[in-house]
Amino acid sequence: MVFKLLKAASAWQTTLHKTFWWTSTGLSRYSTKAQSATLVLQNGTTLQGYSFGEPMSTSGEVVFNTGLVGYPEALTDPSYRGQILALTYPIIGNYGVPDTAAVDEFGLLKHVESEKIHVSALLVQDYTDGYSHWNAVKSLSEWLKDEKVPALFGIDTRMLTKIVRDSNTTLGKIVFEGDPIEFDDPNQRNLMAEVSTKTVQVFGRGNPHKVIAIDCGIKHNIIRNLVKRGAEVHLVPWDYDFTNEQFDGLFISNGPGDPALAHKAIEHVSKVIDEGNTPVFGICMGNQIVGHAAGAQTYKLLLGNRGHNQPVVNLLNGQAFITSQNHGFALDESTLPEHWEPLFRNANDMTNEGIMHTSKPVFTAQFHPEAFGGPTDTEFLFDKFINLIRDKTATVISAMLPAPKKAERLEVSKVLVLGSGGLSIGQAGEFDYSGSQAIKALKEEGIEVVLMNPNIASVQTNAEGEKQADTVYFVPITPEYVEDVIKKENPDGILLSMGGQTALNCGVELWKSGVFSNYNVQVLGTAVKSIIATEDRQIFADQLKEIGEKIAPSFAVNSVDEAVQAASKIGYPVMVRAAYALGGLGSGLCENEEKLRQTTEKAFALTNQALIEKSLLGWKEIEYEVVRDASDNCVTVCNMENFDPLGVHTGM
């Protein structure tokens, strides 16, 4: 019997003729040989790689995507037609491929964006053939071979990305020995005609709002977002003449290639906009086609925007979003005629991200609000489109306003930052790093910075450079020392969240004792009440229950005897979570009363409260790092799976 436990074995090991498997008798090894091939760029650059897809030569435009996840969705996105896709994330394949034929209640594909892979080829740095995911049914390599799509690993994707970044169009070809091929520029072809439906299809039949959707290369999740909001979607070919039909709304989809080649689609959209007041919504290619229909022009981007973290600003209200994008052309805002205005703009390269008509219910988004994969910040645009269909008095401006209320900015001139102290090998450095960034941000605003208890090895204490603090105190973070520094320096603001658990606990104590109010010191960033709500185990559990979040049965206790009583009600094993504890100290999994008493005795040496909780041993723990500002803008920095049993990692 063979157990595939070492599923993270890298394809680099395959290149070395070594792939390891765990068997009942120990490690075993088998040898395979990956076939080599060459990536050749039009500028003469050549890169050697190893095949994990179909071993055949191919050519196309080389582009890159910066997303960390979402390769099943990206590979099946018709907008990648004719392109050789390089993924900048270094490890690809570790979660395998889901059932690509599975459909939902609307008859739409659940896990991918179309019926086939559309990229001409795939390029990655490191491919993982052994996969681990609950809904995976095959490896990425198996899928690529099934669909006859070439793929190479071992490619220096960082160098390749730099080359593509600095070129207007990078043509490339993958060449296998004995199979020569010429370069091909897919942008010279009408790629929309290659990927568009050939017949009219209807989804959500019987829904109240008939929406014509022009298929320039539509993604299934776009159709899903329309159908689940009450649209009966009539998906029509890119050049289909629908102008004499009755419908409630017009949607123009994403798609590959040069939008200027979509002559028929542009003609039909222009007629709808000019002759009526029908709500119109375009996404990606749809934005550019609407632009052409209005009389504007498009151009080829030097770089192209492909990834899941592109910042976009709503020009009507200043609201910012993180968006998913995939496009190589852009609309030239300067060519927009009268009655048309830009609606969204990219905060990185300042390119257009959407337009609107000033008096008609017509608007577009260059980015992907359906976000599959990617962030869902802008999925509300589908609601706005359907609302324009339902409410004939609604306008685009009224649909996009108002913006969320902005938080009032606290005016400070001198801020005390509680540092994380020196780090030992093996300790996390996120507080040290975030503290450095906080000091940098404060200095950029012209604010004087006083720093206590820094890590002496970090840039926080540089004698010169933009990140250094003005004054540094090498003293521990205790209420007494912090109050002494406040007396001497007289700051009007303090940051508690850059010094880890020690700084948080100290800040709570100073707030409760009235030190901050006595010296007129404002707490910046996370409010003390929020700190208490997250650190006090009972308050935290109660607030999760208030919002309907499912949590394990638990009791907050203040003594060992109370812990034993709680465990008898819950049943062993139980999880002990110490409140206000550094890195989960005093927390742990207890299988019996003896272990529980030992653990809680240690916990109450550090804190006055602990949570006794039903053990979820065997569950996976997926941790998200989320940043939220005072205006409720949220950014997920990363997510990770902890290998320890649920709750053991930090006692969170």
Side-chain angles (χ1 to χ4, degrees), residues 567-587:
S568 66
K569 296 178 182 178
I570 296 172
Y572 291 97
V574 295
M575 184 70 198
V576 176
R577 301 179 186 272
Y580 299 96
L582 179 64
L585 290 176
S587 299

Side-chain angles (χ1 to χ4, degrees), residues 104-108 201-209 211 213 218-235 382 385-386 390:
D104 63 11
E105 67 272 26
F106 307 121
L108 297 163
Q201 302 178 56
V202 179
F203 299 90
R205 190 179 295 276
N207 281 351
H209 309 296
V211 172
I218 199 166
K219 298 166 68 178
H220 275 220
N221 202 39
I222 289 178
I223 304 174
R224 181 179 294 110
N225 271 282
L226 291 169
V227 170
K228 72 182 184 180
R229 287 170 169 81
E232 182 181 86
V233 177
H234 290 242
L235 189 67
F382 290 100
F385 175 53
I386 297 300
R390 290 171 177 163

Side-chain angles (χ1 to χ4, degrees), residues 2-20:
V2 177
F3 298 91
K4 296 181 180 179
L5 296 181
L6 294 186
K7 282 194 169 183
S10 165
W12 288 105
Q13 295 169 314
T14 305
T15 307
L16 298 172
H17 313 279
K18 298 176 183 178
T19 299
F20 294 96

Side-chain angles (χ1 to χ4, degrees), residues 108 122 156 165 262 328 389 431 441 532 561:
L108 297 163
L122 179 64
D156 186 344
R165 181 190 64 189
I389 294 174
F431 293 109
I532 294 173
D561 290 338

Side-chain angles (χ1 to χ4, degrees), residues 435-463:
S436 300
Q437 295 300 311
I439 293 170
K440 176 184 178 182
L442 291 169
K443 295 298 295 179
E444 288 176 349
E445 294 294 322
I447 297 171
E448 185 177 352
V449 178
V450 179
L451 175 62
M452 283 184 66
N453 191 42
N455 176 13
I456 58 173
S458 79
V459 293
Q460 294 181 359
T461 56
N462 279 357

